[in-house]
Structure formats: C-alpha cells, structure tokens
C-alpha cells in the first residue's frame, strides 16, 4: 500500500470483514490479531476451507499457486479491493479466477459460501491486447457499475486478462486505471505475465507468483496421473527426481 492511511484503511476493512463473519470462521477479530498461534497457520486453514468449499475439477491440483490465488481473489473481491496478480504463464492465475467466478455465481454458488452470506458476483471480462484503448477499458467499468446498481446483492467484478499486453500499447490505455482504481465502485482483478508500472500497482493489492518449486510440481503431477489412472508406486517414487530435473532444464534454458 502506498501510504500509512491506505494501510490503516485496509486493516480496518479486514477487521470489519472478519468481525462480521467471525462466528462461522471460528475466529473473531480479536483472536485473529492477538492469537499466539502463527498467523500463517490461520491463513492456511482458511485456504484449506476455500479449497474444500469449491468444486475443484478432477485432474486439477490444489497446489500453493491455486490456493493463494483463490484466497486473495475471494477476499479482495468481497471487500472490493483491487487486485493485480503477476506471474509466469502456467501459475494458475486464470484458473483460480474461473473457479472463484463459478463458486460465487448467482446460480452456481458454493454451499459454504452461501451459508457464510457471501455476495454473488457477476464478471465483466475484458481481454487486453496491444490494440486495447482506454475507452474500451472504461466502458467495461461503466457497464459493471451500472449493473451493480440495477442488481442488488450482486458484486460486479471487472476482470482484465493479460493486462501487461495493454501496457505495450502506444496509446497507453491503462492510464485510465489511475482514476478508476483510486476509489473503486466495483471489484477488480487484473492478471499479467509481467510487472506493470508502479503507478498502477500502487493502486491495488499486488500478488506476485514466484517461480514454481519442486514440491508444487510434484503435487500437480500426482494429481494429473491419478486422474488419468496411471499412478503407481514406481512412478510416484521418481516424482521428486523428475521435478528437480525439470527445474534444472528450465533454469538452463532461461539462462541462455
């Protein structure tokens, strides 16, 4: 967050949300912020709860990328805090957004989310490109704002995919985000394969997906072979070596 006022405002919003739903999440606000238990443990429990609540398709591994992306998207959307997720292709950015879209849909909402009283969402998607214009992006926000005013109890969410491509446009269409994200009226999630300029990232929570680790690759591979019915003890015992070899080859290729 760009300044102390913004950080305090973010904390107040988190405290309000936790306080409103503390009885169901088993932790009230004071427990969250004063507990002697590691805060990371509490966050991991909430990520587990989200994964258990959402219908994860067969063959999809709930690895750390999926878990963290879904957690951040859920919290930021419900609190209308702009979120920008940056990571290499294959780090489950779009997958997580589609899972959250379905789990918070008006007619497909996850039972646990409905029991929690989470608002439904309506997605307004825009595929960015080097030919994107500021008018097109602003139109997407206008449509979302108007829809939210018409449909009570449903949060409109502007979803910009491949935001980084629009930043390469000579017309600089992303400058329109400066005013739109200053005091957002709707939810916002942007996905990019590379960093945006600081002026835009400072107006949103910035989630960076690090390089995939060996453990995550193993979790993903095991889910795939289990879904394909090809799992066996020999293949499973070699999974760590396969993952380490893949990372070494990738590193060598990237280093030129």
């Amino acid at each position: 967050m760009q300044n102390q006022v913004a950080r305090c405002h973010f904390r107040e919003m988190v405290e309000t949300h936790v306080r409103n739903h503390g009885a169901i999440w088993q932790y009230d606000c004071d427990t969250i912020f004063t507990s002697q238990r590691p805060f990371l443990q509490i966050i991991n429990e909430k990520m587990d709860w989200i994964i258990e609540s959402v219908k994860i398709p067969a063959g999809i591994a709930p690895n750390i990328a999926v878990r963290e992306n879904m957690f951040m998207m859920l919290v930021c959307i419900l609190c209308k805090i702009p979120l920008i997720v940056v990571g290499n292709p294959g780090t489950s950015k779009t997958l997580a957004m589609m899972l959250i879209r379905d789990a918070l849909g008006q007619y497909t909402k996850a039972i646990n989310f409905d029991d929690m009283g989470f608002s439904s969402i309506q997605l307004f998607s825009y595929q960015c490109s080097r030919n994107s214009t500021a008018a097109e992006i602003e139109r997407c926000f206008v449509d979302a704002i108007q829809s939210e005013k018409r449909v009570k109890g449903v949060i409109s969410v502007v979803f910009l995919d491949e935001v980084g491509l629009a930043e390469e446009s000579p017309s600089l269409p992303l400058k329109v985000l400066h005013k739109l994200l200053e005091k957002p009226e709707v939810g916002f999630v942007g996905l990019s394969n590379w960093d945006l300029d600081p002026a835009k990232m400072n107006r949103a929570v910035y989630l960076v997906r690090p390089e995939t680790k060996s453990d995550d690759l193993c979790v993903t591979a095991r889910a795939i072979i289990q879904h394909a019915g090809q799992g066996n003890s020999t293949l499973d015992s070699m999974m760590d070596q396969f993952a380490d070899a893949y990372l070494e080859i990738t590193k060598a290729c990237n280093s030129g």
Side-chain angles (χ1 to χ4, degrees), residues 18-20 34 46-48 62 78 87-88 100 121 131-132 138 158 161 171 177 210 213 216 220 222 228 237 244 252:
V18 172
R19 185 176 291 110
N20 289 342
T34 63
K46 300 314 163 192
M47 289 194 290
D48 289 340
L78 294 177
N88 291 332
I100 290 295
I121 67 172
N131 298 318
S132 295
E138 187 166 13
V158 174
D161 201 4
S171 62
L177 293 179
K213 292 182 169 49
D216 249 11
T220 304
R222 288 188 175 105
S237 65
D244 291 339

Side-chain angles (χ1 to χ4, degrees), residues 17 27 38 46 50 91 113 121 127-128 151 155 162 170 180 185 206 236:
H17 187 74
Y27 299 99
K46 300 314 163 192
I50 291 172
T91 50
F113 290 179
I121 67 172
Q127 180 66 45
C128 297
V151 185
I155 297 175
E162 301 288 357
L180 294 171
E185 299 181 53
Y206 178 47
D236 189 71

Side-chain angles (χ1 to χ4, degrees), residues 41-53:
Q41 181 180 346
I42 298 175
I43 295 298
N44 280 327
E45 289 174 3
K46 300 314 163 192
M47 289 194 290
D48 289 340
W49 179 82
I50 291 172
I51 292 297
E52 292 168 1
S53 301

Side-chain angles (χ1 to χ4, degrees), residues 81-84 141 156-160 163 177 181 186-190 204:
I81 300 172
L83 172 67
I84 294 176
F141 274 86
S156 294
V157 180
V158 174
F159 171 50
L160 301 187
V163 183
L177 293 179
L181 298 184
V186 294
F188 172 80
V189 177

